[in-house]
Amino acid sequence: MRSASSRLAISLVALTAVLATSGVAGARPRATATPQTPAGTTDTDCARAATTWSAGWAAPVQRPSAGFEENWSEAGFDRQTVRQVVRVTGGGSAARIKLSNRYGERPLRISGATIARSAGGAAVRPQTLRKLTFGNRPSVTIPAGGEGASDAAPLRVSAFDTVTVTLYFAEPTGPATFHAQAYAHSYRARGDHRGDRTGSAFGERTRSWYYLSDVELTGDRSTHTPHSGRIAEQADGGANPDAPEASDGASRPGASRRGAVVAFGDSITDGYGSTVDANKRYPDQLAERLSAAGRARPVLNAGIGGNLLLNDSAWYGDRALDRFERDVLDKPGVSSVIVFEGLNDIGFSEVDLPTYKPNPQLSATQLIDAYREVIARARAKGVRVVGATILPFKGAEYHTPRAEAKRQQINAWIRTSGEFDAYVDFAAALADPTDPLALDPAYDSGDHKHPNDAGYRAMAEAIDLDTI
């Protein structure tokens, strides 16, 4: 990198219709989640509701869509159980989940839910299986456009533990709010299999997450540091010795920060090209580096494949400017964000494919103005904001001289303007030594724009831990 919120009431939603700013024809009004305290709540209940939660895992939610590969979002669920597997990067002695029906067409009925530590695949560790409740009830209905949170469940987890969240839908859900590209398997079974320990009932799987937006943790936050493999080799927390030398730019290192780091971006942050179920995305590997260096902090992945800074998309989520509040600033305990967006705004305009819509021509100046708005919002909330240069993409389907000129202008501004608190030069770290307009072949997943596991590792190693 280069230098510059035991028992809780369910959180339901006061729907606030706002005009969609751009992009998707027929887009539904957006809703803002507002916690509500039910009638009859006691002072004791209120005291319990004051539990401090920390982020353990999160994923941005999207509209139901066909996406790039088979998923269950458009059909939804009926008399089925879905088991989802996530890896937390924080620790605690109790957990709760948050569920989103943001893009639902009807109220969502969750007939029951469980949480457990994973035993691999769809199996769980039997002694850790916990029933989840919602306002002390086993089921919950979340209004269309809304979200809900479970009560706390006693479950001790450490950083890098894998957790399963299992939801049973006894009646039709309609199209499902989801996260399209999870690069992790989710499992489905006919009937109610919340208590299934072996995973044998779950005969179907896809690589998306459904309704689940957050796993939050509280209590004893002890974490463990792995003692083998690549992580142990980086115990000094140092940067890749082969990465470009740090500049004397706008970074302002200080006392070690302890809050969550959010990686905010598009498919490269989401982890396209990484090994499925292996947690090799760059935010995963950054969390491991922090832990190995004795600076353990949650790292949340707020990437959406295909996401755009300035336009909404039916497939690629709300535009970054509109989702920044909920996907970054509203998460508990966030202290830093790495902003890594813009490639799709540049590239989509160079091709005329149905999947790359909307695709208006946007200038580098327009994108820089969008970065400035993100910086201002983060700073207003006291969140440290770190910019990331756009990777080389020569050889990709939308690389043109015009697109390259925009990338160069934006990257120069990120490096030299001093407007971010710091920046990470991903572009320099992953460039082909013989052709800086292209990805290093050793880091290329094969499409000339998305890194492979090694490339994601190089991205994590390029980050100076003092500056986040």
Side-chain angles (χ1 to χ4, degrees):
M1 178 167 303
R2 301 299 176 101
S3 304
S5 117
S6 180
R7 170 182 165 225
L8 296 175
I10 180 172
S11 298
L12 296 178
V13 174
L15 298 180
T16 304
V18 298
L19 183 64
T21 58
S22 62
V24 181
R28 299 179 66 248
R30 298 184 180 118
T32 301
T34 304
Q36 297 178 343
T37 302
T41 298
T42 67
D43 290 342
T44 300
D45 292 330
C46 291
R48 289 174 178 169
T51 299
T52 298
W53 292 95
S54 63
W57 171 91
V61 295
Q62 303 171 240
R63 295 170 181 84
S65 71
F68 290 108
E69 57 185 275
E70 181 182 358
N71 69 73
W72 304 320
S73 68
E74 293 183 312
F77 308 99
D78 181 15
R79 292 167 291 179
Q80 293 171 316
T81 304
V82 175
R83 176 162 287 171
Q84 305 177 73
V85 182
V86 304
R87 188 177 78 154
V88 298
T89 56
S93 57
R96 73 174 181 180
I97 65 170
K98 288 188 174 180
L99 302 171
S100 177
N101 192 27
R102 184 177 186 86
Y103 304 109
E105 298 175 346
R106 65 182 79 173
L108 170 67
R109 178 74 170 176
I110 306 292
S111 299
T114 59
I115 190 169
R117 287 171 56 189
S118 172
V124 304
R125 298 187 182 187
Q127 68 275 18
T128 71
L129 188 65
R130 307 285 187 264
K131 292 182 179 180
L132 290 170
T133 59
F134 304 84
N136 211 32
R137 296 177 178 86
S139 62
V140 64
T141 299
I142 302 172
E147 65 179 22
S150 75
D151 304 325
L155 182 69
R156 184 170 296 279
V157 296
S158 297
F160 313 121
D161 280 342
T162 304
V163 172
T164 68
V165 174
T166 308
L167 308 175
Y168 175 53
F169 308 97
E171 54 196 65
T173 65
T177 296
F178 83 137
H179 182 88
Q181 296 177 287
Y183 308 105
H185 283 106
S186 295
Y187 303 86
R188 184 169 68 178
R190 173 64 59 182
D192 183 359
H193 292 279
R194 288 169 291 161
D196 183 290
R197 290 164 167 77
T198 67
S200 60
F202 293 91
E204 302 174 87
R205 66 184 190 178
T206 65
R207 298 191 290 199
S208 300
W209 290 305
Y210 304 86
Y211 299 115
L212 183 65
S213 65
D214 301 84
V215 176
E216 295 182 349
L217 306 168
T218 193
D220 177 11
R221 300 181 189 177
S222 62
T223 59
H224 66 258
T225 300
H227 295 292
S228 62
R230 182 182 72 79
I231 300 169
E233 294 171 2
Q234 300 176 3
D236 64 352
N240 179 355
D242 298 322
E245 184 182 20
S247 78
D248 59 353
S251 174
R252 294 186 292 275
S256 178
R257 282 161 287 274
R258 298 186 61 83
V261 180
V262 180
F264 184 74
D266 51 35
S267 57
I268 301 177
T269 299
D270 211 6
Y272 185 99
S274 66
T275 302
V276 174
D277 291 332
N279 299 302
K280 296 298 185 181
R281 315 164 192 88
Y282 106 75
D284 295 301
Q285 301 201 57
L286 173 58
E288 293 170 357
R289 272 200 70 208
L290 285 162
S291 179
R295 304 183 185 191
R297 297 165 66 183
V299 178
L300 307 181
N301 190 327
I304 295 180
N307 199 230
L308 299 156
L309 269 167
L310 289 173
N311 283 276
D312 294 348
S313 167
W315 280 23
Y316 307 135
D318 296 347
R319 67 185 191 146
L321 286 182
D322 285 352
R323 71 184 186 89
F324 188 70
E325 197 83 18
R326 71 173 181 269
D327 289 341
V328 178
L329 303 181
D330 288 346
K331 301 303 180 184
V334 169
S335 63
S336 303
V337 58
I338 301 170
V339 178
F340 185 38
E341 286 263 13
L343 174 60
N344 297 318
D345 298 79
I346 294 172
F348 284 12
S349 64
E350 301 300 318
V351 290
D352 190 21
L353 296 174
T355 52
Y356 288 172
K357 302 289 183 178
N359 63 341
Q361 279 291 341
L362 295 166
S363 69
T365 299
Q366 287 174 288
L367 298 178
I368 289 170
D369 286 343
Y371 288 124
R372 287 182 169 130
E373 185 171 343
V374 168
I375 292 168
R377 290 187 193 175
R379 291 230 177 96
K381 293 294 184 72
V383 173
R384 182 173 179 82
V385 57
V386 174
T389 55
I390 299 171
L391 293 181
F393 62 106
K394 182 180 177 181
E397 70 279 17
Y398 47 50
H399 187 268
T400 66
R402 177 169 54 186
E404 182 60 44
K406 293 178 186 178
R407 184 184 79 94
Q408 295 283 354
Q409 184 177 344
I410 290 168
N411 282 354
W413 174 82
I414 291 172
R415 292 177 179 124
T416 65
S417 69
E419 297 196 36
F420 285 101
D421 292 316
Y423 72 94
V424 54
D425 205 340
F426 287 154
L430 272 71
D432 185 340
T434 67
D435 185 353
L437 303 188
L439 276 180
D440 188 323
Y443 297 146
D444 188 350
S445 68
D447 65 3
H448 309 302
K449 59 183 184 288
H450 293 98
N452 55 20
D453 291 351
Y456 287 124
R457 175 180 175 178
M459 290 174 65
E461 290 176 340
I463 298 170
D464 180 345
L465 303 186
D466 284 337
T467 58
I468 56 172

